[in-house]
Amino acid sequence: MVNIFGVVFLCGLALISATKYKEDGVLPEFHRVEQLRSLGLAFAGHLQDVELDELSVLDSRVPTAEDLLCLSDMNALMNGLRVGQYWALKMIDSWGSIPSGLLNGNMYDLGNFDECLNIRKEVSQSRAIQGKYCFLSVSVGAILGVEKGIIGTFKTATCFPASCSAAHMNTFVGQLMKQFLNASIPSSVMSISDSSCQTIESEPWDGLTIFMIVFLSAMGALVALFTLWDYCLGKNQDSLPVIVKVFSARSNSRALFRVVDTKSNPNVIECLNGIRCLSLIWVVFCHQYVMSLLSANINIFKAVSWEETPYASFILHGFFSVDSFFVLGGILVALIPLRLMDRTKGKLNVPLMYLHRLIRIVPLLAIAIVIHMKLMPIITDGPLFASGYSQKAMCERSWYFTLLFVNNYTDDKCLGHSWYLSVDMQLFLLSPLLLLALYKWGKKAAAGIFVLIILLSGCLFATIMVNEYSLILKNFTPLGMKDMYYATHTHATPWLIGFLFGYFLHLNSGKKFQLSWAAVWLGWILCLAMIFTSIFALYPAAQWSAPKLSTLAESSYYTLTRVGWAMALCWVIFACKHGYGGLANSFLSSPLWQPLSRLSYSVYMWHMFVQEVNARSMRTNSYFSNYRIMLNFWSTFGFTVLFAYLMHLLVEAPFGGLDRFLGPSRKSPPVVKQKSNIDSNLEKINVTTPTSTAY
């Protein structure tokens, strides 16, 4: 999960400082800012009243070709405004102004992005004046001499000739501000940066971009070709060549959307599909709030009061959804290999196990990195999209850390949500040692794993206590995310609990537990109590007016809930498997979860891509509210599923099908083969443990 606390915290700091102001200082500050309300019209009037030689952009230096070209285009703009030429009026019309609703947190006026970029005025056969869209960043408190003003910093859209650089624009705007405020404004207070500017001209494609387009086109051609083969020549699906099954969209779609009746097989845990899908939806929903807070909202200050609502606890404590994935991963990493080891007398092909894992995970991850970096600017644009992908610089510096699955221990996280894959991969690499120990020493090894869980819980507790970390929004410590959330050694507890529970299920395979109604009710009461405690225990302390929670209390909370949540989830799985789940089992075990469960890895990889494209391509300000975010979530989630399905057909399924060519073919009796296939399907649909064919 992306650094949700870090993002919300940064927003929260601005919001907290904005709410702490003196009433008597608001009115004078507000009146002075209102003088600049019609910024674009003011600039147009300024240009009409000055002559070209008054636009000093040279600072007593020798003019360059860029300086002369900018001055020439500005002269054309001035003349165009005087005579009312359409293109010149559009350049001023596309400007933003001082955002209305500053006191409510509206820190953006996006102007008209497309109007600015589509301006084109032919001045000769070889050259035309085009628009350049930039943000003017204004620190209102510094302008007015207020140390901590309520208004803070806002950004408004400007539009200049594309030949002008940010330095030229700052000179023009500085002259305008001097006219209004009778004082020189330093660049640290009001400025335009080149990084915020955009023109209609796109950057030329580099080699990596061309390679990716060629690669995806080639994969699309192969999928189309073998799909036609499947439709036209594949009368019997069982007799199709393996290469056709690997690339055919028809064959892969049939496998993806197939609903399997597994009730007759006691080895299949049907409720895992529902738990996996609900955890995935929870992750995507939390990230939708993060993206909404990063968008241009007209009422961002509302997030202060929103954070104090009980509903906000579901978002602020969304990290438990990741713990659910770790539990599921631990269960399946223990359960399925141990069944295989029983049949092979303790033998486990570890290299092949690792190879299948890499085939399943790495191709889609590598494609995702490149598409985020290179293809996102080709797919979309927008006022907030000047710098391209938000983590582009990190990916350029440290993409290899992500592919090596160690980025959870680095500061640069290319694809922020990929830290989870790193933690899961590191635990998977250690799993053969635990599996062999369990097979050889049985319950003694299980006792050792139990001790390891206690030690790692103590490590988490000590880490928080010694460093005085806090993840409560008002006391948030960013370094705490790295040490107590991203780190494998402090986040391995849910996975190990799931691993032990998988071993328990393996030992009791085929056994029916007879529990009294009192025991069942007690189990569900404790389970639900643990779930609600994990989510809402910090709600009173999260109030802005509440006293600071002690480090001991926070350390105990995060240590115990990380264990308690995993144990509660294990009870849900146990109750559903043995017939004590009731309505919960009916819901979680529904066959309708199976297709989304198989697609969950692809959805997880692409959901933040779609969310960022939507958030940063918007042309108008949004409104922060739970209802609005829910509407955006469901539309975004639906499109994410479609995009994930496309990438599943183009990348995930073809590369995942390569395991058909690895290892000797297995021949087994019909009954055993049926069980193996069902277990394999269960494993393939698990985003955290896609290693079925290794077993």
Side-chain angles (χ1 to χ4, degrees):
M1 194 176 192
V2 77
N3 189 343
I4 180 171
F5 289 98
V7 173
V8 178
F9 170 72
L10 294 177
C11 297
L13 282 182
L15 300 176
I16 295 169
S17 63
T19 57
K20 296 181 178 179
Y21 60 90
K22 297 180 179 179
E23 294 289 344
D24 55 359
V26 175
L27 187 59
E29 181 180 347
F30 187 73
H31 280 325
R32 297 191 66 185
V33 173
E34 284 291 310
Q35 297 177 15
L36 307 178
R37 179 67 69 186
S38 301
L39 194 59
L41 295 178
F43 183 70
H46 176 68
L47 287 182
Q48 295 182 57
D49 295 338
V50 300
E51 299 297 332
L52 181 62
D53 55 3
E54 297 181 45
L55 294 177
S56 175
V57 299
L58 305 180
D59 297 329
S60 70
R61 58 183 170 82
V62 178
T64 64
E66 290 78 11
D67 296 331
L68 296 176
L69 187 59
C70 175
L71 286 175
S72 174
D73 289 348
M74 287 299 296
N75 183 46
L77 175 61
M78 292 161 55
N79 294 330
L81 289 174
R82 290 191 180 105
V83 299
Q85 292 183 357
Y86 188 57
W87 72 272
L89 295 176
K90 289 180 65 177
M91 185 165 288
I92 298 302
D93 184 51
S94 62
W95 275 54
S97 64
I98 307 302
S100 55
L102 282 171
L103 304 182
N104 204 32
N106 184 11
M107 297 305 175
Y108 280 94
D109 191 314
L110 302 179
N112 195 308
F113 175 79
D114 298 290
E115 182 181 32
C116 178
L117 262 58
N118 290 328
I119 294 173
R120 182 178 178 84
K121 169 62 177 177
E122 300 288 345
V123 294
S124 67
Q125 292 183 349
S126 59
R127 198 175 73 84
I129 298 176
Q130 294 180 316
K132 176 184 283 189
Y133 180 94
C134 302
F135 274 121
L136 174 65
S137 180
V138 182
S139 178
V140 179
I143 291 178
L144 304 176
V146 180
E147 183 178 356
K148 289 187 178 180
I150 181 175
I151 300 176
T153 301
F154 66 84
K155 293 184 178 180
T156 187
T158 62
C159 187
F160 285 91
S163 59
C164 295
S165 66
H168 297 140
M169 300 178 201
N170 286 326
T171 300
F172 302 144
V173 174
Q175 293 175 1
L176 174 63
M177 294 300 104
K178 186 175 182 179
Q179 175 183 338
F180 273 88
L181 302 177
N182 296 320
S184 298
I185 306 299
S187 59
S188 60
V189 175
M190 176 181 294
S191 65
I192 296 173
S193 65
D194 284 315
S195 61
S196 72
C197 295
Q198 302 181 67
T199 65
I200 199 169
E201 301 293 336
S202 57
E203 294 183 3
W205 292 357
D206 58 11
L208 185 58
T209 304
I210 296 173
F211 170 78
M212 278 307 307
I213 293 176
V214 172
F215 172 79
L216 292 176
S217 300
M219 292 299 296
L222 288 174
V223 169
L225 175 64
F226 286 108
T227 301
L228 289 175
W229 184 341
D230 190 357
Y231 268 104
C232 299
L233 303 177
K235 297 181 180 179
N236 185 357
Q237 293 295 313
D238 295 332
S239 62
L240 282 176
V242 175
I243 189 68
V244 177
K245 294 181 179 179
V246 167
F247 285 97
S248 171
R250 182 189 184 193
S251 178
N252 289 324
S253 297
R254 185 183 292 110
L256 179 66
F257 294 107
R258 182 177 65 248
V259 176
V260 181
D261 183 10
T262 58
K263 292 183 179 180
S264 60
N265 193 319
N267 292 325
V268 175
I269 309 174
E270 297 173 296
C271 66
L272 295 187
N273 294 325
I275 296 174
R276 183 181 301 108
C277 292
L278 291 179
S279 300
L280 176 67
I281 292 172
W282 193 2
V283 168
V284 179
F285 190 52
C286 291
H287 289 169
Q288 187 68 45
Y289 270 85
V290 174
M291 289 300 175
S292 297
L293 288 172
L294 293 177
S295 302
N297 292 286
I298 65 174
N299 63 328
I300 193 61
F301 287 176
K302 186 181 179 180
V304 174
S305 57
W306 170 84
E307 192 272 342
E308 292 186 312
T309 62
Y311 174 82
S313 296
F314 287 103
I315 310 303
L316 298 177
H317 298 287
F319 53 78
F320 287 117
S321 59
V322 182
D323 288 359
S324 300
F325 279 122
F326 282 129
V327 173
L328 298 182
I331 290 173
L332 293 174
V333 166
L335 192 58
I336 296 176
L338 287 173
R339 291 176 184 172
L340 176 63
M341 294 171 73
D342 282 345
R343 295 196 295 266
T344 59
K345 298 181 180 179
K347 295 181 180 179
L348 188 64
N349 193 334
V350 176
L352 191 60
M353 172 179 166
Y354 289 163
L355 179 60
H356 283 302
R357 173 76 168 197
L358 295 175
I359 289 175
R360 172 74 165 87
I361 294 292
V362 172
L364 191 64
L365 177 60
I367 296 298
I369 292 175
V370 180
I371 287 182
H372 278 73
M373 290 175 56
K374 300 298 182 180
L375 296 189
M376 186 181 285
I378 299 176
I379 295 174
T380 188
D381 61 9
L384 304 176
F385 208 78
S387 57
Y389 174 48
S390 60
Q391 296 175 335
K392 181 180 178 180
M394 293 184 183
C395 287
E396 291 175 343
R397 290 195 303 264
S398 58
W399 57 268
Y400 47 89
F401 286 141
T402 300
L403 292 180
L404 292 174
F405 299 101
V406 294
N407 68 339
N408 61 312
Y409 282 106
T410 64
D411 293 328
D412 291 339
K413 292 177 175 58
C414 176
L415 273 62
H417 56 302
S418 65
W419 71 270
Y420 159 75
L421 297 179
S422 297
V423 175
D424 188 66
M425 177 63 78
Q426 293 164 23
L427 293 171
F428 180 80
L429 293 176
L430 296 175
S431 64
L433 298 176
L434 302 179
L435 290 169
L436 294 172
L438 284 178
Y439 186 84
K440 185 174 182 180
W441 293 297
K443 295 181 180 180
K444 294 181 180 179
I449 296 175
F450 178 77
V451 173
L452 180 60
I453 292 173
I454 296 177
L455 293 176
L456 291 178
S457 297
C459 177
L460 174 62
F461 182 86
T463 300
I464 302 174
M465 285 293 296
V466 171
N467 298 284
E468 297 184 349
Y469 288 146
S470 175
L471 294 185
I472 297 180
L473 193 58
K474 61 183 180 181
N475 305 317
F476 182 80
T477 49
L479 188 59
M481 289 294 297
K482 180 179 179 181
D483 291 343
M484 59 183 286
Y485 188 65
Y486 294 140
T488 303
H489 60 282
T490 56
H491 217 143
T493 305
W495 191 92
L496 290 173
I497 292 175
F499 189 87
L500 271 186
F501 184 65
Y503 176 65
F504 169 79
L505 294 177
H506 172 71
L507 289 181
N508 297 278
S509 178
K511 180 179 179 181
K512 182 67 175 178
F513 286 85
Q514 299 294 333
L515 301 180
S516 64
W517 66 269
V520 173
W521 273 97
L522 179 61
W524 277 108
I525 290 174
L526 292 176
C527 169
L528 295 176
M530 190 67 252
I531 290 175
F532 282 98
T533 299
S534 299
I535 296 175
F536 294 107
L538 293 185
Y539 169 68
Q543 307 299 303
W544 298 112
S545 58
K548 181 181 178 181
L549 197 65
S550 67
T551 304
L552 176 61
E554 274 205 73
S555 302
S556 302
Y557 166 79
Y558 288 112
T559 302
L560 296 178
T561 54
R562 191 159 288 180
V563 174
W565 182 273
M567 295 179 65
L569 200 62
C570 290
W571 164 259
V572 173
I573 297 170
F574 174 84
C576 292
K577 178 176 173 57
H578 291 281
Y580 302 111
L583 292 176
N585 181 51
S586 300
F587 178 70
L588 296 174
S589 301
S590 172
L592 299 178
W593 294 115
Q594 293 181 18
L596 179 59
S597 186
R598 297 187 185 102
L599 196 62
S600 57
Y601 174 47
S602 187
V603 172
Y604 181 79
M605 288 306 305
W606 297 111
H607 76 278
M608 294 202 71
F609 174 84
V610 177
Q611 288 176 343
E612 180 164 341
V613 167
N614 289 345
R616 301 181 66 201
S617 63
M618 60 192 307
R619 264 55 173 178
T620 58
N621 292 42
S622 183
Y623 181 78
F624 179 81
S625 70
N626 293 323
Y627 177 73
R628 179 64 57 184
I629 293 175
M630 286 182 186
L631 290 180
N632 293 338
F633 163 73
W634 287 114
S635 60
T636 300
F637 188 76
F639 187 81
T640 300
V641 171
L642 293 177
F643 189 76
Y645 172 59
L646 175 64
M647 299 309 298
H648 174 82
L649 296 180
L650 292 180
V651 180
E652 184 181 12
F655 280 94
L658 293 178
D659 57 20
R660 299 170 186 255
F661 303 98
L662 299 176
S665 58
R666 295 176 295 181
K667 295 183 180 180
S668 52
V671 175
V672 177
K673 182 177 181 180
Q674 182 183 8
K675 290 183 179 180
S676 177
N677 287 338
I678 292 176
D679 293 343
S680 180
N681 289 333
L682 178 63
E683 182 70 3
K684 284 182 178 179
I685 62 179
N686 179 36
V687 68
T688 61
T689 320
T691 54
S692 57
T693 50
Y695 308 130

